[in-house]
PDB file of all heavy atoms in Angstrom:
ATOM      1  N   ARG J   1       0.892  -1.214   0.003  1.00  0.00           N
ATOM      2  CA  ARG J   1       0.032  -0.006  -0.021  1.00  0.00           C
ATOM      3  C   ARG J   1       0.935   1.202   0.024  1.00  0.00           C
ATOM      4  O   ARG J   1       0.542   2.272  -0.687  1.00  0.00           O
ATOM      5  CB  ARG J   1      -0.952   0.000   1.224  1.00  0.00           C
ATOM      6  CG  ARG J   1      -2.000   1.063   1.122  1.00  0.00           C
ATOM      7  CD  ARG J   1      -3.026   0.825   2.116  1.00  0.00           C
ATOM      8  NE  ARG J   1      -3.886  -0.367   1.713  1.00  0.00           N
ATOM      9  CZ  ARG J   1      -4.559  -0.996   2.625  1.00  0.00           C
ATOM     10  NH1 ARG J   1      -4.698  -0.628   3.881  1.00  0.00           N
ATOM     11  NH2 ARG J   1      -5.199  -2.124   2.247  1.00  0.00           N
ATOM     12  N   SER J   2       2.038   1.132   0.711  1.00  0.00           N
ATOM     13  CA  SER J   2       2.922   2.323   0.699  1.00  0.00           C
ATOM     14  C   SER J   2       3.431   2.654  -0.758  1.00  0.00           C
ATOM     15  O   SER J   2       3.416   3.830  -1.096  1.00  0.00           O
ATOM     16  CB  SER J   2       4.087   2.038   1.658  1.00  0.00           C
ATOM     17  OG  SER J   2       5.043   3.081   1.540  1.00  0.00           O
ATOM     18  N   VAL J   3       3.749   1.655  -1.403  1.00  0.00           N
ATOM     19  CA  VAL J   3       4.271   1.882  -2.767  1.00  0.00           C
ATOM     20  C   VAL J   3       3.167   2.468  -3.644  1.00  0.00           C
ATOM     21  O   VAL J   3       3.249   3.357  -4.403  1.00  0.00           O
ATOM     22  CB  VAL J   3       4.887   0.550  -3.366  1.00  0.00           C
ATOM     23  CG1 VAL J   3       5.192   0.751  -4.840  1.00  0.00           C
ATOM     24  CG2 VAL J   3       6.038   0.175  -2.561  1.00  0.00           C
ATOM     25  N   ALA J   4       1.965   2.000  -3.488  1.00  0.00           N
ATOM     26  CA  ALA J   4       0.826   2.495  -4.172  1.00  0.00           C
ATOM     27  C   ALA J   4       0.503   3.973  -3.827  1.00  0.00           C
ATOM     28  O   ALA J   4       0.098   4.693  -4.709  1.00  0.00           O
ATOM     29  CB  ALA J   4      -0.465   1.675  -3.874  1.00  0.00           C
ATOM     30  N   LEU J   5       0.767   4.380  -2.667  1.00  0.00           N
ATOM     31  CA  LEU J   5       0.562   5.742  -2.167  1.00  0.00           C
ATOM     32  C   LEU J   5       1.752   6.706  -2.611  1.00  0.00           C
ATOM     33  O   LEU J   5       1.650   7.841  -2.327  1.00  0.00           O
ATOM     34  CB  LEU J   5       0.300   5.750  -0.739  1.00  0.00           C
ATOM     35  CG  LEU J   5      -0.902   5.115  -0.190  1.00  0.00           C
ATOM     36  CD1 LEU J   5      -0.872   5.069   1.347  1.00  0.00           C
ATOM     37  CD2 LEU J   5      -2.133   5.858  -0.710  1.00  0.00           C
ATOM     38  N   GLY J   6       2.801   6.173  -3.133  1.00  0.00           N
ATOM     39  CA  GLY J   6       3.936   7.042  -3.572  1.00  0.00           C
ATOM     40  C   GLY J   6       5.206   6.841  -2.794  1.00  0.00           C
ATOM     41  O   GLY J   6       6.172   7.557  -2.981  1.00  0.00           O
ATOM     42  N   GLY J   7       5.226   5.861  -1.904  1.00  0.00           N
ATOM     43  CA  GLY J   7       6.455   5.491  -1.120  1.00  0.00           C
ATOM     44  C   GLY J   7       6.733   6.532  -0.108  1.00  0.00           C
ATOM     45  O   GLY J   7       5.930   7.387   0.333  1.00  0.00           O
ATOM     46  N   VAL J   8       7.990   6.482   0.462  1.00  0.00           N
ATOM     47  CA  VAL J   8       8.496   7.339   1.555  1.00  0.00           C
ATOM     48  C   VAL J   8       9.032   8.639   0.812  1.00  0.00           C
ATOM     49  O   VAL J   8       9.763   8.554  -0.142  1.00  0.00           O
ATOM     50  CB  VAL J   8       9.605   6.733   2.412  1.00  0.00           C
ATOM     51  CG1 VAL J   8      10.045   7.592   3.427  1.00  0.00           C
ATOM     52  CG2 VAL J   8       9.089   5.402   2.905  1.00  0.00           C
ATOM     53  N   ARG J   9       8.626   9.786   1.299  1.00  0.00           N
ATOM     54  CA  ARG J   9       8.979  11.028   0.659  1.00  0.00           C
ATOM     55  C   ARG J   9       9.931  11.895   1.477  1.00  0.00           C
ATOM     56  O   ARG J   9       9.747  11.939   2.756  1.00  0.00           O
ATOM     57  CB  ARG J   9       7.773  11.852   0.351  1.00  0.00           C
ATOM     58  CG  ARG J   9       6.757  11.029  -0.575  1.00  0.00           C
ATOM     59  CD  ARG J   9       5.493  11.747  -0.822  1.00  0.00           C
ATOM     60  NE  ARG J   9       4.569  10.841  -1.416  1.00  0.00           N
ATOM     61  CZ  ARG J   9       3.249  10.972  -1.361  1.00  0.00           C
ATOM     62  NH1 ARG J   9       2.739  12.039  -0.694  1.00  0.00           N
ATOM     63  NH2 ARG J   9       2.449  10.069  -1.908  1.00  0.00           N
ATOM     64  N   VAL J  10      10.869  12.481   0.849  1.00  0.00           N
ATOM     65  CA  VAL J  10      11.667  13.536   1.468  1.00  0.00           C
ATOM     66  C   VAL J  10      11.146  14.839   1.001  1.00  0.00           C
ATOM     67  O   VAL J  10      11.050  15.118  -0.070  1.00  0.00           O
ATOM     68  CB  VAL J  10      13.170  13.385   1.131  1.00  0.00           C
ATOM     69  CG1 VAL J  10      13.993  14.463   1.845  1.00  0.00           C
ATOM     70  CG2 VAL J  10      13.695  11.986   1.503  1.00  0.00           C
ATOM     71  N   GLN J  11      10.825  15.725   2.050  1.00  0.00           N
ATOM     72  CA  GLN J  11      10.137  17.035   1.736  1.00  0.00           C
ATOM     73  C   GLN J  11      10.929  18.116   2.298  1.00  0.00           C
ATOM     74  O   GLN J  11      11.550  18.007   3.378  1.00  0.00           O
ATOM     75  CB  GLN J  11       8.720  16.991   2.296  1.00  0.00           C
ATOM     76  CG  GLN J  11       7.831  15.892   1.568  1.00  0.00           C
ATOM     77  CD  GLN J  11       6.452  15.856   2.095  1.00  0.00           C
ATOM     78  OE1 GLN J  11       6.168  16.148   3.221  1.00  0.00           O
ATOM     79  NE2 GLN J  11       5.528  15.620   1.169  1.00  0.00           N
ATOM     80  N   VAL J  12      10.901  19.246   1.698  1.00  0.00           N
ATOM     81  CA  VAL J  12      11.566  20.476   2.174  1.00  0.00           C
ATOM     82  C   VAL J  12      10.586  21.672   1.968  1.00  0.00           C
ATOM     83  O   VAL J  12       9.663  21.599   1.231  1.00  0.00           O
ATOM     84  CB  VAL J  12      12.809  20.853   1.306  1.00  0.00           C
ATOM     85  CG1 VAL J  12      13.851  19.624   1.475  1.00  0.00           C
ATOM     86  CG2 VAL J  12      12.553  21.057  -0.089  1.00  0.00           C
ATOM     87  N   PRO J  13      10.868  22.774   2.824  1.00  0.00           N
ATOM     88  CA  PRO J  13      10.070  23.887   2.589  1.00  0.00           C
ATOM     89  C   PRO J  13      10.315  24.513   1.199  1.00  0.00           C
ATOM     90  O   PRO J  13      11.291  24.428   0.641  1.00  0.00           O
ATOM     91  CB  PRO J  13      10.606  24.962   3.748  1.00  0.00           C
ATOM     92  CG  PRO J  13      11.223  24.012   4.620  1.00  0.00           C
ATOM     93  CD  PRO J  13      11.680  22.803   4.000  1.00  0.00           C
ATOM     94  N   PHE J  14       9.243  25.087   0.634  1.00  0.00           N
ATOM     95  CA  PHE J  14       9.292  25.645  -0.777  1.00  0.00           C
ATOM     96  C   PHE J  14      10.491  26.541  -1.026  1.00  0.00           C
ATOM     97  O   PHE J  14      11.119  26.507  -2.011  1.00  0.00           O
ATOM     98  CB  PHE J  14       7.922  26.232  -1.119  1.00  0.00           C
ATOM     99  CG  PHE J  14       8.021  26.781  -2.568  1.00  0.00           C
ATOM    100  CD1 PHE J  14       7.773  25.869  -3.586  1.00  0.00           C
ATOM    101  CD2 PHE J  14       8.067  28.129  -2.908  1.00  0.00           C
ATOM    102  CE1 PHE J  14       7.834  26.309  -4.929  1.00  0.00           C
ATOM    103  CE2 PHE J  14       8.063  28.527  -4.204  1.00  0.00           C
ATOM    104  CZ  PHE J  14       7.885  27.611  -5.193  1.00  0.00           C
ATOM    105  N   SER J  15      10.822  27.306   0.041  1.00  0.00           N
ATOM    106  CA  SER J  15      11.851  28.358  -0.150  1.00  0.00           C
ATOM    107  C   SER J  15      13.244  27.689  -0.321  1.00  0.00           C
ATOM    108  O   SER J  15      14.210  28.279  -0.780  1.00  0.00           O
ATOM    109  CB  SER J  15      11.922  29.288   1.043  1.00  0.00           C
ATOM    110  OG  SER J  15      12.157  28.524   2.250  1.00  0.00           O
ATOM    111  N   TYR J  16      13.366  26.381   0.022  1.00  0.00           N
ATOM    112  CA  TYR J  16      14.630  25.658  -0.170  1.00  0.00           C
ATOM    113  C   TYR J  16      14.648  24.714  -1.331  1.00  0.00           C
ATOM    114  O   TYR J  16      15.550  23.961  -1.522  1.00  0.00           O
ATOM    115  CB  TYR J  16      14.923  24.872   1.096  1.00  0.00           C
ATOM    116  CG  TYR J  16      15.331  25.724   2.327  1.00  0.00           C
ATOM    117  CD1 TYR J  16      14.328  26.122   3.185  1.00  0.00           C
ATOM    118  CD2 TYR J  16      16.609  26.007   2.686  1.00  0.00           C
ATOM    119  CE1 TYR J  16      14.672  26.952   4.293  1.00  0.00           C
ATOM    120  CE2 TYR J  16      16.965  26.785   3.691  1.00  0.00           C
ATOM    121  CZ  TYR J  16      15.993  27.223   4.562  1.00  0.00           C
ATOM    122  OH  TYR J  16      16.243  27.922   5.694  1.00  0.00           O
ATOM    123  N   LEU J  17      13.582  24.773  -2.191  1.00  0.00           N
ATOM    124  CA  LEU J  17      13.369  23.749  -3.155  1.00  0.00           C
ATOM    125  C   LEU J  17      14.469  23.710  -4.149  1.00  0.00           C
ATOM    126  O   LEU J  17      15.022  22.573  -4.439  1.00  0.00           O
ATOM    127  CB  LEU J  17      12.034  23.952  -3.858  1.00  0.00           C
ATOM    128  CG  LEU J  17      11.700  22.926  -4.927  1.00  0.00           C
ATOM    129  CD1 LEU J  17      11.582  21.546  -4.321  1.00  0.00           C
ATOM    130  CD2 LEU J  17      10.405  23.338  -5.668  1.00  0.00           C
ATOM    131  N   LYS J  18      14.834  24.776  -4.676  1.00  0.00           N
ATOM    132  CA  LYS J  18      15.976  24.783  -5.735  1.00  0.00           C
ATOM    133  C   LYS J  18      17.268  24.204  -5.216  1.00  0.00           C
ATOM    134  O   LYS J  18      17.900  23.350  -5.898  1.00  0.00           O
ATOM    135  CB  LYS J  18      16.232  26.322  -6.159  1.00  0.00           C
ATOM    136  CG  LYS J  18      17.172  26.352  -7.370  1.00  0.00           C
ATOM    137  CD  LYS J  18      17.132  27.790  -7.768  1.00  0.00           C
ATOM    138  CE  LYS J  18      18.080  27.960  -8.985  1.00  0.00           C
ATOM    139  NZ  LYS J  18      18.068  29.360  -9.449  1.00  0.00           N
ATOM    140  N   GLU J  19      17.611  24.570  -3.992  1.00  0.00           N
ATOM    141  CA  GLU J  19      18.892  24.063  -3.479  1.00  0.00           C
ATOM    142  C   GLU J  19      18.741  22.555  -3.118  1.00  0.00           C
ATOM    143  O   GLU J  19      19.685  21.734  -3.419  1.00  0.00           O
ATOM    144  CB  GLU J  19      19.282  24.703  -2.163  1.00  0.00           C
ATOM    145  CG  GLU J  19      19.665  26.252  -2.342  1.00  0.00           C
ATOM    146  CD  GLU J  19      18.391  27.131  -2.168  1.00  0.00           C
ATOM    147  OE1 GLU J  19      17.238  26.616  -2.198  1.00  0.00           O
ATOM    148  OE2 GLU J  19      18.559  28.308  -2.186  1.00  0.00           O
ATOM    149  N   ALA J  20      17.642  22.104  -2.696  1.00  0.00           N
ATOM    150  CA  ALA J  20      17.400  20.724  -2.290  1.00  0.00           C
ATOM    151  C   ALA J  20      17.419  19.854  -3.612  1.00  0.00           C
ATOM    152  O   ALA J  20      17.947  18.738  -3.693  1.00  0.00           O
ATOM    153  CB  ALA J  20      16.044  20.599  -1.589  1.00  0.00           C
ATOM    154  N   VAL J  21      16.840  20.265  -4.714  1.00  0.00           N
ATOM    155  CA  VAL J  21      16.839  19.539  -5.933  1.00  0.00           C
ATOM    156  C   VAL J  21      18.285  19.351  -6.365  1.00  0.00           C
ATOM    157  O   VAL J  21      18.665  18.354  -6.793  1.00  0.00           O
ATOM    158  CB  VAL J  21      15.954  20.270  -7.015  1.00  0.00           C
ATOM    159  CG1 VAL J  21      16.233  19.622  -8.363  1.00  0.00           C
ATOM    160  CG2 VAL J  21      14.548  20.186  -6.565  1.00  0.00           C
ATOM    161  N   GLN J  22      19.085  20.376  -6.171  1.00  0.00           N
ATOM    162  CA  GLN J  22      20.501  20.227  -6.646  1.00  0.00           C
ATOM    163  C   GLN J  22      21.232  19.241  -5.751  1.00  0.00           C
ATOM    164  O   GLN J  22      22.020  18.392  -6.293  1.00  0.00           O
ATOM    165  CB  GLN J  22      21.220  21.607  -6.532  1.00  0.00           C
ATOM    166  CG  GLN J  22      22.662  21.582  -6.941  1.00  0.00           C
ATOM    167  CD  GLN J  22      22.802  21.260  -8.535  1.00  0.00           C
ATOM    168  OE1 GLN J  22      22.138  21.734  -9.355  1.00  0.00           O
ATOM    169  NE2 GLN J  22      23.596  20.193  -8.756  1.00  0.00           N
ATOM    170  N   VAL J  23      20.948  19.235  -4.413  1.00  0.00           N
ATOM    171  CA  VAL J  23      21.627  18.297  -3.571  1.00  0.00           C
ATOM    172  C   VAL J  23      21.226  16.809  -4.042  1.00  0.00           C
ATOM    173  O   VAL J  23      21.950  15.922  -4.051  1.00  0.00           O
ATOM    174  CB  VAL J  23      21.303  18.536  -2.133  1.00  0.00           C
ATOM    175  CG1 VAL J  23      21.692  17.400  -1.188  1.00  0.00           C
ATOM    176  CG2 VAL J  23      21.976  19.815  -1.657  1.00  0.00           C
ATOM    177  N   VAL J  24      19.865  16.659  -4.246  1.00  0.00           N
ATOM    178  CA  VAL J  24      19.389  15.361  -4.638  1.00  0.00           C
ATOM    179  C   VAL J  24      20.072  14.909  -5.978  1.00  0.00           C
ATOM    180  O   VAL J  24      20.394  13.702  -6.173  1.00  0.00           O
ATOM    181  CB  VAL J  24      17.910  15.266  -4.708  1.00  0.00           C
ATOM    182  CG1 VAL J  24      17.489  13.983  -5.338  1.00  0.00           C
ATOM    183  CG2 VAL J  24      17.322  15.478  -3.368  1.00  0.00           C
ATOM    184  N   GLU J  25      20.158  15.811  -6.919  1.00  0.00           N
ATOM    185  CA  GLU J  25      20.838  15.464  -8.185  1.00  0.00           C
ATOM    186  C   GLU J  25      22.279  15.088  -7.878  1.00  0.00           C
ATOM    187  O   GLU J  25      22.817  14.154  -8.561  1.00  0.00           O
ATOM    188  CB  GLU J  25      20.760  16.683  -9.152  1.00  0.00           C
ATOM    189  CG  GLU J  25      19.358  16.862  -9.724  1.00  0.00           C
ATOM    190  CD  GLU J  25      19.276  18.110 -10.616  1.00  0.00           C
ATOM    191  OE1 GLU J  25      20.359  18.780 -10.839  1.00  0.00           O
ATOM    192  OE2 GLU J  25      18.192  18.431 -11.113  1.00  0.00           O
ATOM    193  N   ASN J  26      22.969  15.772  -7.091  1.00  0.00           N
ATOM    194  CA  ASN J  26      24.365  15.346  -6.654  1.00  0.00           C
ATOM    195  C   ASN J  26      24.465  14.058  -6.073  1.00  0.00           C
ATOM    196  O   ASN J  26      25.352  13.312  -6.319  1.00  0.00           O
ATOM    197  CB  ASN J  26      24.968  16.450  -5.662  1.00  0.00           C
ATOM    198  CG  ASN J  26      25.241  17.801  -6.433  1.00  0.00           C
ATOM    199  OD1 ASN J  26      25.175  17.932  -7.642  1.00  0.00           O
ATOM    200  ND2 ASN J  26      25.398  18.865  -5.577  1.00  0.00           N
ATOM    201  N   ILE J  27      23.504  13.681  -5.181  1.00  0.00           N
ATOM    202  CA  ILE J  27      23.433  12.339  -4.621  1.00  0.00           C
ATOM    203  C   ILE J  27      23.258  11.329  -5.683  1.00  0.00           C
ATOM    204  O   ILE J  27      24.062  10.323  -5.793  1.00  0.00           O
ATOM    205  CB  ILE J  27      22.306  12.293  -3.539  1.00  0.00           C
ATOM    206  CG1 ILE J  27      22.537  13.072  -2.392  1.00  0.00           C
ATOM    207  CG2 ILE J  27      21.977  10.751  -3.185  1.00  0.00           C
ATOM    208  CD1 ILE J  27      21.443  13.285  -1.369  1.00  0.00           C
ATOM    209  N   ASN J  28      22.319  11.534  -6.593  1.00  0.00           N
ATOM    210  CA  ASN J  28      21.981  10.529  -7.647  1.00  0.00           C
ATOM    211  C   ASN J  28      23.108  10.440  -8.600  1.00  0.00           C
ATOM    212  O   ASN J  28      23.292   9.299  -9.162  1.00  0.00           O
ATOM    213  CB  ASN J  28      20.645  10.951  -8.378  1.00  0.00           C
ATOM    214  CG  ASN J  28      19.488  10.762  -7.386  1.00  0.00           C
ATOM    215  OD1 ASN J  28      19.518   9.948  -6.509  1.00  0.00           O
ATOM    216  ND2 ASN J  28      18.491  11.555  -7.808  1.00  0.00           N
ATOM    217  N   SER J  29      23.825  11.430  -8.862  1.00  0.00           N
ATOM    218  CA  SER J  29      25.029  11.398  -9.778  1.00  0.00           C
ATOM    219  C   SER J  29      26.185  10.802  -9.261  1.00  0.00           C
ATOM    220  O   SER J  29      27.204  10.478  -9.981  1.00  0.00           O
ATOM    221  CB  SER J  29      25.255  12.816 -10.330  1.00  0.00           C
ATOM    222  OG  SER J  29      25.915  13.549  -9.323  1.00  0.00           O
ATOM    223  N   GLY J  30      26.338  10.673  -7.906  1.00  0.00           N
ATOM    224  CA  GLY J  30      27.471  10.095  -7.279  1.00  0.00           C
ATOM    225  C   GLY J  30      28.476  11.068  -6.942  1.00  0.00           C
ATOM    226  O   GLY J  30      29.595  10.703  -6.528  1.00  0.00           O
ATOM    227  N   LYS J  31      28.169  12.356  -6.923  1.00  0.00           N
ATOM    228  CA  LYS J  31      29.192  13.389  -6.689  1.00  0.00           C
ATOM    229  C   LYS J  31      29.652  13.282  -5.217  1.00  0.00           C
ATOM    230  O   LYS J  31      30.916  13.359  -5.047  1.00  0.00           O
ATOM    231  CB  LYS J  31      28.528  14.692  -6.922  1.00  0.00           C
ATOM    232  CG  LYS J  31      29.519  15.923  -6.554  1.00  0.00           C
ATOM    233  CD  LYS J  31      28.862  17.178  -6.740  1.00  0.00           C
ATOM    234  CE  LYS J  31      29.878  18.311  -6.308  1.00  0.00           C
ATOM    235  NZ  LYS J  31      29.318  19.640  -6.138  1.00  0.00           N
ATOM    236  N   TYR J  32      28.871  13.091  -4.335  1.00  0.00           N
ATOM    237  CA  TYR J  32      29.303  13.052  -2.927  1.00  0.00           C
ATOM    238  C   TYR J  32      30.109  11.747  -2.676  1.00  0.00           C
ATOM    239  O   TYR J  32      31.067  11.796  -1.894  1.00  0.00           O
ATOM    240  CB  TYR J  32      28.167  13.161  -1.947  1.00  0.00           C
ATOM    241  CG  TYR J  32      27.407  14.410  -2.022  1.00  0.00           C
ATOM    242  CD1 TYR J  32      25.990  14.396  -2.445  1.00  0.00           C
ATOM    243  CD2 TYR J  32      27.983  15.693  -1.808  1.00  0.00           C
ATOM    244  CE1 TYR J  32      25.390  15.642  -2.488  1.00  0.00           C
ATOM    245  CE2 TYR J  32      27.372  16.799  -1.905  1.00  0.00           C
ATOM    246  CZ  TYR J  32      26.033  16.849  -2.221  1.00  0.00           C
ATOM    247  OH  TYR J  32      25.258  18.060  -2.243  1.00  0.00           O
ATOM    248  N   LYS J  33      29.807  10.698  -3.364  1.00  0.00           N
ATOM    249  CA  LYS J  33      30.484   9.519  -3.132  1.00  0.00           C
ATOM    250  C   LYS J  33      31.940   9.724  -3.741  1.00  0.00           C
ATOM    251  O   LYS J  33      32.919   9.226  -3.116  1.00  0.00           O
ATOM    252  CB  LYS J  33      29.832   8.328  -3.856  1.00  0.00           C
ATOM    253  CG  LYS J  33      30.570   6.989  -3.735  1.00  0.00           C
ATOM    254  CD  LYS J  33      29.832   5.940  -4.506  1.00  0.00           C
ATOM    255  CE  LYS J  33      30.609   4.637  -4.504  1.00  0.00           C
ATOM    256  NZ  LYS J  33      30.028   3.665  -5.230  1.00  0.00           N
ATOM    257  N   THR J  34      32.114  10.279  -4.855  1.00  0.00           N
ATOM    258  CA  THR J  34      33.359  10.562  -5.452  1.00  0.00           C
ATOM    259  C   THR J  34      34.245  11.417  -4.515  1.00  0.00           C
ATOM    260  O   THR J  34      35.464  11.158  -4.345  1.00  0.00           O
ATOM    261  CB  THR J  34      33.201  11.241  -6.818  1.00  0.00           C
ATOM    262  OG1 THR J  34      32.495  10.296  -7.633  1.00  0.00           O
ATOM    263  CG2 THR J  34      34.496  11.417  -7.493  1.00  0.00           C
TER     264      THR J  34
END
């Protein structure tokens, strides 16, 4: 049921959205791991 509802979500205040999206992109690209 959780997957059907969209899973576990990480949320931020709207005023931080742009910076948060960049951090998530860095995580997904492996930048922090490198």
Side-chain angles (χ1 to χ4, degrees):
R1 192 167 292 159
S2 172
V3 173
L5 293 172
V8 181
R9 299 174 194 158
V10 178
Q11 300 179 325
V12 299
F14 183 74
S15 59
Y16 290 90
L17 182 61
K18 187 175 182 178
E19 296 91 348
V21 168
Q22 183 61 53
V23 170
V24 171
E25 287 177 5
N26 290 343
I27 292 169
N28 292 336
S29 72
K31 179 182 179 196
Y32 296 121
K33 180 181 177 187
T34 303

